Amino acid sequence: MRILLIVATLFAGAIGMVRPVAAHPHIFIDARVVFHMEGGKVAAISQHWTFDAVFGGVVIHAFDRNRDGKLDAGEAELVRRGAFDALKDFNYFTVVRIGREELKLDRVTGFAAAVEDSRLTYRFKVPLPRPIDLRADNPAFLFVDKTYYVAVEIPKQNPVTFAGVAPTGCRTVMRDDFENPIYFDLVVPQMLTFDCPAG
């Protein structure tokens, strides 16, 4: 099974001491999500990830070269190249589905890595290949690692915020995605959908 970040392979023993080796997930991310609206449609999705203390500490130790407890611009660039860019193969743990079609998300902008309250954080924006109409397209959004090596959690209440004009009358709804289980069909992921009035 492929691992979230390259450095995880170097420190698998440290992670294994905290959680059983056979258990999943191994890495935990608390995510905040912003939908960027243009012309009434979702054009991009920004995310702010906060990693669990164990794995985040591994990455900070690996890339904080001057040991000042921070990630300066040069160190953050090393994090991007060594511990983030490989997530392109996983759509950056972001699924945008319209019907049965999953959009290919292969580009990010504005990546930044930092240490906030002793925790590793990432910020980045994922431009969508085409704008998504929440009413007409009836999309589903998932923030998930399909290998279940990583657990990505978004808030149950107010799971997203909007940059730009939010869609009028639309309500966010978290649903179980029973039709698309992951991890050998053992785990049912949560999908974010929108109930919008017609018109």
Side-chain angles (χ1 to χ4, degrees), residues 8-122:
T9 61
L10 304 175
F11 297 93
I15 296 172
M17 287 188 295
V18 177
R19 305 184 188 281
V21 174
H24 285 73
H26 292 286
I27 300 169
F28 299 82
I29 297 172
D30 290 326
R32 298 202 304 268
V33 179
V34 179
F35 282 9
H36 294 262
M37 306 297 293
E38 295 180 6
K41 299 181 180 181
V42 182
I45 302 172
S46 285
Q47 299 184 51
H48 179 193
W49 289 357
T50 301
F51 286 87
D52 67 88
V54 173
F55 185 75
V58 168
V59 175
I60 294 167
H61 180 80
F63 292 100
D64 178 18
R65 300 294 179 85
N66 60 10
R67 297 292 181 257
D68 65 353
K70 304 175 184 178
L71 293 173
D72 61 31
E75 292 165 343
E77 174 62 15
L78 292 175
V79 171
R80 182 190 65 78
R81 288 185 289 169
F84 178 75
D85 282 353
L87 296 185
K88 176 179 179 179
D89 294 338
F90 300 89
N91 270 24
Y92 306 100
F93 298 157
T94 304
V95 175
V96 180
R97 184 186 300 132
I98 301 175
R100 301 301 302 175
E101 177 194 7
E102 287 191 10
L103 303 187
K104 179 65 176 176
L105 308 176
D106 57 6
R107 183 170 66 92
V108 301
T109 62
F111 175 80
V115 179
E116 301 176 10
D117 296 326
S118 301
R119 302 284 289 274
L120 175 68
T121 65
Y122 289 171

Side-chain angles (χ1 to χ4, degrees), residues 106-149:
D106 57 6
R107 183 170 66 92
V108 301
T109 62
F111 175 80
V115 179
E116 301 176 10
D117 296 326
S118 301
R119 302 284 289 274
L120 175 68
T121 65
Y122 289 171
R123 296 177 188 267
F124 58 95
K125 181 189 286 188
V126 182
L128 301 185
R130 65 176 187 267
I132 301 300
D133 189 316
L134 295 178
R135 289 184 175 84
D137 294 323
N138 192 28
F141 301 88
L142 295 89
F143 302 92
V144 62
D145 171 20
K146 293 182 180 180
T147 72
Y148 204 47
Y149 196 88

